[in-house]
Amino acid sequence: MKLDNCVPAGIPASSVRSWVLLGGGGIPLLFSLDFIRQYFDAYDRLFASGQYRKILLDGAVMTPFASLLSTPPLLGLLCAALVMTGLLVYYILYHYQGSKSIYLMRRLPQRGELLRRCVSVPLLGLLTAVLVTFLLVVLCYALYMWVTPPECILPGQWQRIWNGGIFR
């Protein structure tokens, strides 16, 4: 399917990429940056500064992974969904302005043409946001597990995510 057939007639298909990348990928990425800041703050609290190197404190315990995600990834997903909903509304209203291309769209033999042209790009952006959010949570978890000293990690981190920690 050509990209030109997925946007309202008169809107350049080249603008679609920026909407999908910004709305679908950029917003969740911005929300994940807060995790990196909070993670390294918590990581630094595990150590005492020695003369030449950091020394791991006795009994130091890392903050649970789910607690470090102070802005849940689903909030980034929600913001991306709002952007895509706004784009959907814009695409629908676009047909009712100017030369009223809605009349042309209603005369086309394909009954779902208007729906396809209005919904395809916002749906693609939302699916991109879901995928990017999932990948970011996995990458943040991998960072947490690989960088944190094993003796400082509380058991059951993955279960805490699914038991309400990440979706609070």
Side-chain angles (χ1 to χ4, degrees):
M1 178 183 308
K2 290 180 70 174
L3 201 54
D4 292 331
N5 295 334
C6 295
V7 294
I11 293 180
S14 60
S15 68
V16 170
R17 280 185 215 91
S18 59
W19 277 103
V20 171
L21 291 176
L22 175 68
I27 293 173
L29 183 63
L30 285 175
F31 278 90
S32 72
L33 293 177
D34 187 54
F35 170 81
I36 294 170
R37 180 191 58 81
Q38 290 204 21
Y39 172 77
F40 283 108
D41 286 346
Y43 181 79
D44 286 340
R45 288 192 298 269
L46 297 175
F47 298 93
S49 296
Q51 188 174 5
Y52 298 107
R53 60 186 173 101
K54 291 182 175 182
I55 301 167
L56 185 63
L57 296 170
D58 290 335
V61 177
M62 183 65 166
T63 307
F65 174 74
S67 298
L68 290 174
L69 288 167
S70 64
T71 54
L74 292 182
L75 188 59
L77 186 59
L78 176 66
C79 289
L82 289 174
V83 168
M84 291 300 132
T85 302
L87 183 62
L88 173 67
V89 169
Y90 171 72
Y91 280 174
I92 291 170
L93 293 177
Y94 178 82
H95 287 93
Y96 290 94
Q97 63 184 343
S99 65
K100 304 279 188 188
S101 62
I102 190 68
Y103 299 126
L104 169 69
M105 297 305 290
R106 288 186 178 161
R107 287 194 320 252
L108 292 175
Q110 300 90 357
R111 294 187 52 87
E113 184 76 16
L114 177 64
L115 182 66
R116 187 182 79 228
R117 286 181 178 262
C118 291
V119 173
S120 295
V121 172
L123 188 60
L124 178 64
L126 188 59
L127 290 174
T128 302
V130 168
L131 179 65
V132 167
T133 299
F134 175 75
L135 289 174
L136 287 170
V137 169
V138 169
L139 287 173
C140 289
Y141 184 74
L143 172 79
Y144 180 88
M145 295 305 285
W146 287 334
V147 175
T148 306
E151 60 271 14
C152 297
I153 298 176
L154 293 172
Q157 291 297 318
W158 194 249
Q159 289 79 15
R160 290 174 195 236
I161 294 170
W162 298 110
N163 290 338
I166 201 171
F167 301 110
R168 62 183 180 273

